[in-house]
Amino acid sequence: MDVQKKAAWRQGNIVIGVLALLTIVEFLIAIWQGTAVFLFIIALIKAALVVQFFMHAYRLWREESH
Amino acid sequence: MSVYTKAHTHTPAHDADREHELPYATQVKANRLGLWLFFISEFFLFGALLITRFYLWNVPGVGQTRPELSQELGLITTSILLASSYFVYRGETAITYDDRQAFTRSFMLAALLGLLFFVGVVVMEWNLFGLSLDLFGIEWFGHLRPSDSVYGGVFYMMTGMHALHVISGVGLLLIAWNRGRKGEYSSERHWGVEGIALYWHYVDVIWIFFYPALYLIGKPV
């Protein structure tokens, strides 16, 4: 169980790392006058990461308590 | 016998009542669906605000514009909200494995970061107290007023509606923290934690779209 918990936390660490990286990338893109399309795509990727890994959207189709 | 005692007395009639209760797993599944439907309904509200921003801040001949805001302050508040979402994830994971100490610690940290985000937007960006501070080359207090044409109006509407969700989320996180501290959640039964975590992540998702819309997209005017 401890191994599973550590694996879940490691997954969280990776996701927050990617989110931080994407936030910095979008900040730099904006400074270099990047297009709105790029910024919107990055926002979509970030939202998808949160919905999938933090909000566990896949649980909606599962019959489980917790 | 008091009314309270009567209501909590274990009787055969009470057992009969419980027989009609749905299994906990089914209840949780229904709760999840209900919460996601609520998120979809909220999406229409925030989506309308986003459309308003792109419609009103579009200047013919120039394209998309945005008000001149402190880029660093926007980046800092966004990072704080992302970090708080991360701690909520850690807290929810902890309670899934009955680690109550890690749960309470993570949720308290998440609530404090949420509060810090709220202060960053409402006190500093809105500049409620009319302050001014330029430190490390960063403008720490905003200057945009709600009456500053469509820029002020839209900016305050979007950040205000989001801040309302943030402050209610902070309250919910603290309620979950308090209940967790009293041992009311377990690895088998913690819908309260999951529901509040979902809500907090949703608030984060909304800001993921609001941040570039308010701070990054368009020509500063």
Side-chain angles (χ1 to χ4, degrees), chain A residues 1 4-5 8-9 11-13 16 23 26-27 30 36 39 43 47 50 53-55 59 63 65-66, chain B residues 24 26 28-29 32 82 86 89-90 92-93 97 99 188 190-191 194 198 201 205 208-209 211 216-217:
Chain A
M1 187 174 262
Q4 284 176 312
K5 186 173 80 178
W9 276 358
Q11 179 184 281
N13 292 342
I16 193 66
T23 305
E26 72 180 345
F27 180 76
L39 294 171
V50 173
F53 294 105
F54 285 179
M55 295 176 83
R59 283 182 185 164
E63 182 84 27
S65 55
H66 282 110
Chain B
Y24 187 67
T26 311
V28 167
K29 196 181 179 191
R32 273 186 199 136
L82 283 175
Y86 166 70
Y89 169 82
R90 277 185 78 92
E92 192 194 350
T93 306
Y97 294 100
D99 187 348
E188 287 84 25
H190 60 269
W191 162 249
E194 187 189 327
L198 275 172
H201 295 312
V205 167
I208 282 174
F209 289 102
Y211 168 59
L216 305 178
I217 294 172

Side-chain angles (χ1 to χ4, degrees), chain B residues 5-83:
Chain B
T5 317
K6 257 185 190 171
H8 289 81
T9 305
H10 194 78
T11 63
H14 187 226
D15 282 345
D17 283 347
R18 289 187 73 89
E19 275 174 21
H20 299 291
E21 269 187 17
L22 290 169
Y24 187 67
T26 311
Q27 284 180 32
V28 167
K29 196 181 179 191
N31 289 348
R32 273 186 199 136
L33 181 63
L35 196 54
W36 277 92
L37 287 174
F38 166 72
F39 292 156
I40 291 168
S41 72
E42 286 262 289
F43 174 77
F44 285 96
L45 170 72
F46 289 113
L49 288 172
L50 266 177
I51 290 167
T52 306
R53 176 258 179 257
F54 282 102
Y55 182 75
L56 291 178
W57 291 5
N58 184 48
V59 177
V62 179
Q64 287 297 328
T65 60
R66 61 177 165 84
E68 188 77 68
L69 299 165
S70 169
Q71 288 294 312
E72 294 83 3
L73 187 57
L75 183 64
I76 291 166
T77 50
T78 301
S79 306
I80 288 170
L81 194 62
L82 283 175

Side-chain angles (χ1 to χ4, degrees), chain B residues 1 22 25 40 49 122 133 135 138 141 188:
Chain B
M1 190 181 283
L22 290 169
I40 291 168
L49 288 172
V122 173
L133 177 67
L135 198 64
I138 300 171
F141 292 96
E188 287 84 25

Side-chain angles (χ1 to χ4, degrees), chain A residues 31-44:
Chain A
I31 286 175
W32 291 327
Q33 296 295 316
T35 61
V37 177
F38 276 132
L39 294 171
F40 189 70
I41 289 169
I42 291 174
L44 270 180

Side-chain angles (χ1 to χ4, degrees), chain B residues 125-166:
Chain B
E125 193 62 84
W126 286 12
N127 201 357
L128 275 188
F129 306 109
L131 302 170
S132 176
L133 177 67
D134 201 326
L135 198 64
F136 310 118
I138 300 171
E139 204 182 337
W140 291 94
F141 292 96
H143 50 78
L144 191 69
R145 311 307 311 164
S147 52
D148 290 344
S149 69
V150 288
Y151 295 105
V154 170
F155 180 80
Y156 274 79
M157 190 63 212
M158 287 174 76
T159 52
M161 189 53 76
H162 185 261
L164 184 69
H165 284 74
V166 168

